[in-house]
PDB file of all heavy atoms in Angstrom:
ATOM      1  N   ARG A 918     -94.571 -25.807 -61.384  1.00  0.00           N
ATOM      2  CA  ARG A 918     -94.210 -26.497 -62.616  1.00  0.00           C
ATOM      3  C   ARG A 918     -95.421 -26.948 -63.423  1.00  0.00           C
ATOM      4  O   ARG A 918     -95.462 -26.772 -64.642  1.00  0.00           O
ATOM      5  CB  ARG A 918     -93.318 -27.693 -62.282  1.00  0.00           C
ATOM      6  CG  ARG A 918     -92.900 -28.530 -63.477  1.00  0.00           C
ATOM      7  CD  ARG A 918     -91.998 -29.662 -63.009  1.00  0.00           C
ATOM      8  NE  ARG A 918     -92.641 -30.438 -61.943  1.00  0.00           N
ATOM      9  CZ  ARG A 918     -91.993 -31.274 -61.142  1.00  0.00           C
ATOM     10  NH1 ARG A 918     -90.691 -31.430 -61.268  1.00  0.00           N
ATOM     11  NH2 ARG A 918     -92.648 -31.957 -60.211  1.00  0.00           N
ATOM     12  N   ASP A 919     -96.412 -27.526 -62.781  1.00  0.00           N
ATOM     13  CA  ASP A 919     -97.562 -28.047 -63.518  1.00  0.00           C
ATOM     14  C   ASP A 919     -98.321 -26.922 -64.207  1.00  0.00           C
ATOM     15  O   ASP A 919     -98.785 -27.068 -65.344  1.00  0.00           O
ATOM     16  CB  ASP A 919     -98.490 -28.810 -62.576  1.00  0.00           C
ATOM     17  CG  ASP A 919     -97.875 -30.131 -62.110  1.00  0.00           C
ATOM     18  OD1 ASP A 919     -96.904 -30.585 -62.745  1.00  0.00           O
ATOM     19  OD2 ASP A 919     -98.361 -30.683 -61.102  1.00  0.00           O
ATOM     20  N   GLY A 920     -98.455 -25.773 -63.537  1.00  0.00           N
ATOM     21  CA  GLY A 920     -99.123 -24.637 -64.162  1.00  0.00           C
ATOM     22  C   GLY A 920     -98.352 -24.127 -65.365  1.00  0.00           C
ATOM     23  O   GLY A 920     -98.945 -23.756 -66.394  1.00  0.00           O
ATOM     24  N   VAL A 921     -97.037 -24.114 -65.254  1.00  0.00           N
ATOM     25  CA  VAL A 921     -96.196 -23.702 -66.385  1.00  0.00           C
ATOM     26  C   VAL A 921     -96.392 -24.652 -67.558  1.00  0.00           C
ATOM     27  O   VAL A 921     -96.486 -24.231 -68.716  1.00  0.00           O
ATOM     28  CB  VAL A 921     -94.712 -23.643 -65.956  1.00  0.00           C
ATOM     29  CG1 VAL A 921     -93.802 -23.483 -67.158  1.00  0.00           C
ATOM     30  CG2 VAL A 921     -94.494 -22.506 -64.954  1.00  0.00           C
ATOM     31  N   ALA A 922     -96.479 -25.965 -67.281  1.00  0.00           N
ATOM     32  CA  ALA A 922     -96.690 -26.939 -68.347  1.00  0.00           C
ATOM     33  C   ALA A 922     -98.023 -26.710 -69.055  1.00  0.00           C
ATOM     34  O   ALA A 922     -98.120 -26.842 -70.285  1.00  0.00           O
ATOM     35  CB  ALA A 922     -96.620 -28.357 -67.782  1.00  0.00           C
ATOM     36  N   VAL A 923     -99.054 -26.348 -68.293  1.00  0.00           N
ATOM     37  CA  VAL A 923    -100.374 -26.110 -68.897  1.00  0.00           C
ATOM     38  C   VAL A 923    -100.324 -24.932 -69.864  1.00  0.00           C
ATOM     39  O   VAL A 923    -100.831 -25.000 -70.991  1.00  0.00           O
ATOM     40  CB  VAL A 923    -101.436 -25.874 -67.810  1.00  0.00           C
ATOM     41  CG1 VAL A 923    -102.747 -25.405 -68.428  1.00  0.00           C
ATOM     42  CG2 VAL A 923    -101.673 -27.151 -67.010  1.00  0.00           C
ATOM     43  N   VAL A 924     -99.717 -23.828 -69.450  1.00  0.00           N
ATOM     44  CA  VAL A 924     -99.663 -22.662 -70.341  1.00  0.00           C
ATOM     45  C   VAL A 924     -98.805 -22.961 -71.563  1.00  0.00           C
ATOM     46  O   VAL A 924     -99.075 -22.466 -72.668  1.00  0.00           O
ATOM     47  CB  VAL A 924     -99.152 -21.412 -69.587  1.00  0.00           C
ATOM     48  CG1 VAL A 924     -97.657 -21.491 -69.290  1.00  0.00           C
ATOM     49  CG2 VAL A 924     -99.450 -20.156 -70.390  1.00  0.00           C
ATOM     50  N   MET A 925     -97.802 -23.811 -71.418  1.00  0.00           N
ATOM     51  CA  MET A 925     -97.003 -24.196 -72.577  1.00  0.00           C
ATOM     52  C   MET A 925     -97.836 -24.991 -73.573  1.00  0.00           C
ATOM     53  O   MET A 925     -97.770 -24.758 -74.787  1.00  0.00           O
ATOM     54  CB  MET A 925     -95.790 -25.003 -72.128  1.00  0.00           C
ATOM     55  CG  MET A 925     -94.708 -24.154 -71.491  1.00  0.00           C
ATOM     56  SD  MET A 925     -93.295 -25.122 -70.951  1.00  0.00           S
ATOM     57  CE  MET A 925     -92.198 -23.797 -70.392  1.00  0.00           C
ATOM     58  N   ARG A 926     -98.619 -25.939 -73.086  1.00  0.00           N
ATOM     59  CA  ARG A 926     -99.467 -26.713 -73.997  1.00  0.00           C
ATOM     60  C   ARG A 926    -100.465 -25.798 -74.706  1.00  0.00           C
ATOM     61  O   ARG A 926    -100.729 -25.952 -75.904  1.00  0.00           O
ATOM     62  CB  ARG A 926    -100.198 -27.809 -73.234  1.00  0.00           C
ATOM     63  CG  ARG A 926     -99.281 -28.890 -72.677  1.00  0.00           C
ATOM     64  CD  ARG A 926    -100.056 -30.056 -72.103  1.00  0.00           C
ATOM     65  NE  ARG A 926     -99.162 -30.972 -71.419  1.00  0.00           N
ATOM     66  CZ  ARG A 926     -98.959 -30.975 -70.105  1.00  0.00           C
ATOM     67  NH1 ARG A 926     -99.609 -30.111 -69.331  1.00  0.00           N
ATOM     68  NH2 ARG A 926     -98.110 -31.827 -69.553  1.00  0.00           N
ATOM     69  N   GLU A 927    -101.015 -24.838 -73.969  1.00  0.00           N
ATOM     70  CA  GLU A 927    -101.972 -23.907 -74.572  1.00  0.00           C
ATOM     71  C   GLU A 927    -101.324 -23.111 -75.693  1.00  0.00           C
ATOM     72  O   GLU A 927    -101.894 -22.954 -76.779  1.00  0.00           O
ATOM     73  CB  GLU A 927    -102.531 -22.967 -73.507  1.00  0.00           C
ATOM     74  CG  GLU A 927    -103.463 -23.632 -72.504  1.00  0.00           C
ATOM     75  CD  GLU A 927    -103.932 -22.659 -71.436  1.00  0.00           C
ATOM     76  OE1 GLU A 927    -103.372 -21.527 -71.377  1.00  0.00           O
ATOM     77  OE2 GLU A 927    -104.831 -23.016 -70.662  1.00  0.00           O
ATOM     78  N   GLN A 928    -100.128 -22.601 -75.435  1.00  0.00           N
ATOM     79  CA  GLN A 928     -99.464 -21.774 -76.431  1.00  0.00           C
ATOM     80  C   GLN A 928     -98.978 -22.601 -77.620  1.00  0.00           C
ATOM     81  O   GLN A 928     -99.038 -22.144 -78.760  1.00  0.00           O
ATOM     82  CB  GLN A 928     -98.298 -21.025 -75.786  1.00  0.00           C
ATOM     83  CG  GLN A 928     -98.735 -19.919 -74.841  1.00  0.00           C
ATOM     84  CD  GLN A 928     -99.621 -18.896 -75.530  1.00  0.00           C
ATOM     85  OE1 GLN A 928     -99.293 -18.386 -76.602  1.00  0.00           O
ATOM     86  NE2 GLN A 928    -100.761 -18.593 -74.929  1.00  0.00           N
ATOM     87  N   LEU A 929     -98.502 -23.803 -77.375  1.00  0.00           N
ATOM     88  CA  LEU A 929     -98.080 -24.660 -78.483  1.00  0.00           C
ATOM     89  C   LEU A 929     -99.277 -25.093 -79.319  1.00  0.00           C
ATOM     90  O   LEU A 929     -99.189 -25.183 -80.559  1.00  0.00           O
ATOM     91  CB  LEU A 929     -97.312 -25.871 -77.954  1.00  0.00           C
ATOM     92  CG  LEU A 929     -95.971 -25.549 -77.275  1.00  0.00           C
ATOM     93  CD1 LEU A 929     -95.375 -26.816 -76.662  1.00  0.00           C
ATOM     94  CD2 LEU A 929     -94.990 -24.928 -78.248  1.00  0.00           C
TER      95      LEU A 929
END
Side-chain angles (χ1 to χ4, degrees):
R918 178 179 54 196
D919 290 344
V921 169
V923 171
V924 73
M925 285 179 176
R926 293 188 188 98
E927 290 177 350
Q928 289 303 310
L929 295 174

